[in-house]
Each structure stands twice: as structure tokens, then as C-alpha cells.
Amino acid sequence: MNPTALVDDAALVQAYLTHVRVEKRLAERTVALYTMDLEKLVANAQAAGLPLRSVQSPNIRRWVAQMHSCGRSARGIALILSGWRGLYVWLGRQGLMDHNPVQGVRAPKAGKPLPKALGVDEAVQLAAYEHEADHPMLEARDRCITELLYGCGLRIGELVGLDVVAGAQARGWIDAEAGEAHVLGKGAKRRSVPVGRAALDALAEWVAARSAWPQDDPALFISARGQRLTSQHIRVRLKRRSLLAGLATPVHPHMLRHSYASHVLQSSGDLRAVQELLGHTSISTTQVYTRLDFQHLAQVYDAAHPRAQARGGSPAEPATVAPDDVPPFSPTPLRR
């Protein structure tokens, strides 16, 4: 393969990543995932002796088959194809490609798993948990993080972007007096969501404690060195908190967002309101929570209804009546 083509491919990929980071304003984690996926694409093309612009659909299908045979999940392959497809769409718009080799190539079919959500009792248990062995400031910070993730349904990137006070450069902040969180969501879209009393109480406790740490960074959530917490730091702390609180499943930030949406929908039944609260552009994205809601209702039915077992497994036993309880038969004469 021509070494110049490798340089060109690397330059094309870097230009595209700059495009999605600067112009499309995708989250840093998304850009990092795109980077890994496109590195895989370049490696495959290199192994086949092809520059990226010479790749054809049969090449893409062969690489998909290889990933599938190596155990890559259908969802993982679909995400990789999405990243590859985006690159070729962009190359076409730049006049560098006259076809998209990923167009029409699909990942293997897979069932759509429901998002993992906590039960109401589990979510409350996690939010109310106190780890006495922790430093009081760490405990106050972690409790506030948990309350905001569950109480407002924030994405991890929205939480990390919160500043202590509103400002021209702030990506997000919380207006405690109004009880509202103002965040910058996907696609650089701003939205406001209500903040409940429990979250506001946790916020007040953390803000008061935060003043003891360095104040150089305007971030709401900082480390002991005064630096804005990263998404990974919060994931680690939340997982630790969930295990210490005795939950059966380690909790990640998006699980609390799913729990928030599911619990609001269970109580209100208002799908449009949940869509607005989550900041979803399309109602179809929010509709997954109707499946969670039905799952919850089905569990209640199975546990409570005397005929529930008839839905699956062994049929429910018919009610038995003792002979002494059978009323005597006394026909009533028909009236003409």
C-alpha cells in the first residue's frame, strides 16, 4: 500500500473528528468512541491494501462478519457502522467520495434490551445512603451528585458541566431559588428542569462544604485539588456508593436517568412531559419508557392478581368450594 495513502487517511480521519467535535459539538466521550471505531476502519483498510476512499460495500460486509464471528454484539457493530457511515457521508459532502460503502450495510439483528432502571425503593435507598467512614465533604458531594442525577434526570455530561453560579461562559447552573437546573444537552441545546426539595437540600449542604476546597475552577463538582470532576470519576464514585448501599446491581449515572424517567412516567402517564424533561428531540426515543412502565405494571399484576399465573407457566388453580358452601338449588318459576 502506498505510504502516502496512509498519511492521507490519517489526515481525513482527523479532519472528520475535528468536524464532529467543533461543528457538531458532540460530547468528548462520543468523539473518543468515534476515534476508536475509525482507527479500526483504517486498520481494516490497511490490512486489505486499500485507502479509505477505495473501500467498497463488500469490504464493509466482510469486516462486519469478522466482528460478529469474534463475538462483537449486534449493538456494538451497529454503533461502529454508524461512526463509519458518518465519515463517508462527510467525505461525500467534501466532494472526496462519489459513493458511501457503508450505505445499506446493516448490523446483525438483535433484540432491543430495555434500559436498566432501579425500583423506586432502590433509588431512594441509594440517594438516602450515608457512608459514615467517608470524609464529610466527599459524602456531601456524592449525595448531591446522586440526588441531581436521580432527581433531575441529568445526563452525566450535563452534570459535569454545571458551574456554581450562572455566567456567560457557564454550560449549566442551578437556580436554587427558582428550583430549576439549566443545562446544556446534546446538540448544544439548552433546557431547564425542575429540582426537587431533596436535591436542593443536598445542593445547599455541598455548596457550603465546597468553600473549604480551592476555588480556582467554577465547576460545581470539584475534587479536593479544586479541579472539575470528570465523568469517569463520577462513574467510579457512584458505583462504589451503590455497592456500599447494598444494591444488588452496580449503578451507573445513566441508570439513574432511566430510573427518573420510568418513575415519572409511572406516576404521571404523561409521555410528552417526560420527553421535555429528558430533552429528547423525538418522542420515539422516549417511548422506550412505556415498555418499562408496562413491565412494572406486569410485575404488579403478577404479584397481586389471583389469576396472574395464567399469563405464563402453570395455570392458576381454580378456586375450590366446599360442599357445605354450595347453596341449594331452588329454581324460580318463569313469569309469563
Side-chain angles (χ1 to χ4, degrees):
M1 184 175 181
N2 186 349
T4 305
L6 285 177
V7 175
D8 289 345
D9 284 350
L12 289 175
V13 168
Q14 286 304 314
Y16 174 66
L17 292 173
T18 300
H19 163 71
V20 297
R21 183 176 60 253
V22 177
E23 297 182 30
K24 297 188 70 175
R25 298 187 180 183
L26 296 186
E28 288 300 323
R29 179 171 172 79
T30 303
V31 175
L33 293 174
Y34 274 21
T35 301
M36 291 189 294
D37 294 342
L38 293 176
E39 287 174 351
K40 183 186 297 293
L41 175 62
V42 171
N44 287 337
Q46 180 182 357
L50 295 170
L52 288 180
R53 285 184 283 173
S54 297
V55 170
Q56 302 294 321
S57 295
N59 301 118
I60 300 293
R61 291 192 178 92
R62 185 179 305 113
W63 299 334
V64 167
Q66 290 172 352
M67 288 189 287
H68 189 51
S69 65
C70 290
R72 174 77 69 167
S73 69
R75 176 172 171 76
I77 293 173
L79 291 172
I80 290 172
L81 284 176
S82 176
W84 292 0
R85 191 176 296 112
L87 170 67
Y88 281 110
V89 167
W90 179 78
L91 288 174
R93 289 174 179 168
Q94 304 304 309
L96 299 174
M97 293 283 293
D98 57 5
H99 71 288
N100 187 336
V102 191
Q103 196 65 34
V105 179
R106 298 184 180 278
K109 289 186 177 180
K112 295 182 179 179
L114 288 173
K116 294 180 180 179
L118 298 174
V120 174
D121 291 343
E122 292 176 310
V124 172
Q125 177 182 340
L126 177 63
Y129 173 74
E130 293 185 12
H131 186 46
E132 296 180 356
D134 256 350
H135 190 284
M137 290 186 63
L138 292 177
E139 173 59 30
R141 186 192 66 188
D142 291 354
R143 174 172 170 255
C144 184
I145 287 172
T146 306
E147 289 284 5
L148 287 176
L149 287 172
Y150 174 56
C152 303
L154 300 184
R155 298 180 178 94
I156 181 64
E158 295 168 348
L159 182 87
V160 168
L162 291 173
D163 283 354
V164 178
V165 295
Q169 303 301 319
R171 289 168 52 195
W173 64 90
I174 296 178
D175 184 341
E177 291 187 7
E180 295 179 349
H182 304 275
V183 297
L184 186 67
K186 285 187 175 180
K189 294 181 179 178
R190 290 198 175 274
R191 78 179 190 284
S192 300
V193 293
V195 183
R197 173 49 54 191
L200 289 174
D201 290 344
L203 176 68
E205 181 182 353
W206 161 240
V207 170
R210 181 188 178 281
S211 60
W213 282 351
Q215 304 294 303
D216 298 337
D217 199 305
L220 175 59
F221 295 111
I222 56 175
S223 66
R225 291 177 293 181
Q227 299 174 340
R228 187 183 297 268
L229 291 187
T230 64
S231 298
Q232 183 58 26
H233 193 137
I234 291 176
R235 289 189 183 92
V236 171
R237 295 293 299 183
L238 186 59
K239 178 180 179 180
R240 173 180 179 270
R241 182 180 181 86
S242 64
L243 294 175
L244 290 172
L247 271 65
T249 303
V251 175
H252 56 78
H254 220 65
M255 189 183 294
L256 290 182
R257 178 171 161 87
H258 291 320
S259 304
Y260 165 86
S262 178
H263 299 165
V264 171
L265 184 60
Q266 286 172 15
S267 299
S268 69
D270 193 334
L271 190 63
R272 287 288 180 184
V274 174
Q275 178 190 3
E276 292 293 327
L277 290 169
L278 294 177
H280 287 163
T281 302
S282 171
I283 191 68
S284 62
T285 308
T286 318
Q287 283 175 336
V288 66
Y289 296 107
T290 62
R291 296 170 61 201
L292 278 177
D293 191 35
F294 178 79
Q295 185 182 61
H296 166 76
L297 294 176
Q299 289 171 349
V300 171
Y301 171 79
D302 287 340
H305 198 282
R307 305 291 282 179
Q309 292 182 15
R311 292 197 322 127
S314 58
E317 293 292 331
T320 57
V321 180
D324 293 342
D325 295 334
V326 178
F329 175 69
S330 54
T332 302
L334 294 176
R335 295 182 180 179
R336 296 184 180 274

